[in-house]
Amino acid sequence: MAKELKAKVFPRIWAKTTRGDKITRSYMYELGENFDESKLFTYVCEITRAMDIPTPIILTSHTYNFVHFNIAKFLPSEFVEDVDFDFFTIENTTGTIKPLPRYFAEDM
């Protein structure tokens, strides 16, 4: 029986800026490697450089939300410079990176 080769899918991050209900900028960033939680700032720097917007301050809550819920939303107050949008959102489009931690036993 021959082994099947499976294609390795690297995570993609969809970044968008919104003003009101409209998307004003959109960018799809494909990682050439597996996602590394400690490199989130590097990924965001590359994305914002490509989108020509300032880089936001990344808080622990942003990292947690992105890793566990596949989305992180940045407010204008989290940027040092003035911005022309209401939200900057990054979203993982390839599925869950890491499952939520289990706080309770499954048999309860």
Side-chain angles (χ1 to χ4, degrees):
M1 184 182 266
K3 267 189 168 178
E4 290 183 34
L5 295 176
K6 293 183 180 179
K8 192 164 193 173
V9 177
F10 293 118
R12 290 179 305 183
I13 299 173
W14 179 35
K16 60 185 174 181
T17 58
T18 55
R19 184 163 208 49
D21 292 334
K22 298 186 183 211
I23 296 173
T24 55
R25 291 180 194 92
S26 179
Y27 181 73
M28 184 66 74
Y29 178 74
E30 187 167 342
L31 280 67
E33 60 189 11
N34 289 331
F35 179 80
D36 185 5
E37 193 174 327
S38 64
K39 292 183 179 178
L40 184 62
F41 181 72
T42 306
Y43 302 148
V44 171
C45 284
E46 292 176 10
I47 290 168
T48 55
R49 189 176 303 120
M51 294 178 74
D52 196 28
I53 60 173
T55 304
I57 298 168
I58 298 180
L59 305 173
T60 308
S61 61
H62 293 130
T63 305
Y64 182 85
N65 287 337
F66 187 76
V67 170
H68 294 291
F69 302 113
N70 298 324
I71 194 164
K73 187 182 272 189
F74 299 88
L75 302 172
S77 62
E78 294 163 346
F79 289 83
V80 176
E81 301 174 29
D82 290 334
V83 293
D84 62 345
F85 48 83
D86 296 333
F87 297 107
F88 171 64
T89 309
I90 57 173
E91 184 175 345
N92 176 17
T93 61
T94 54
T96 305
I97 295 171
K98 189 187 299 184
L100 281 171
R102 300 230 165 154
Y103 296 107
F104 303 103
E106 289 183 2
D107 57 347
M108 292 184 157

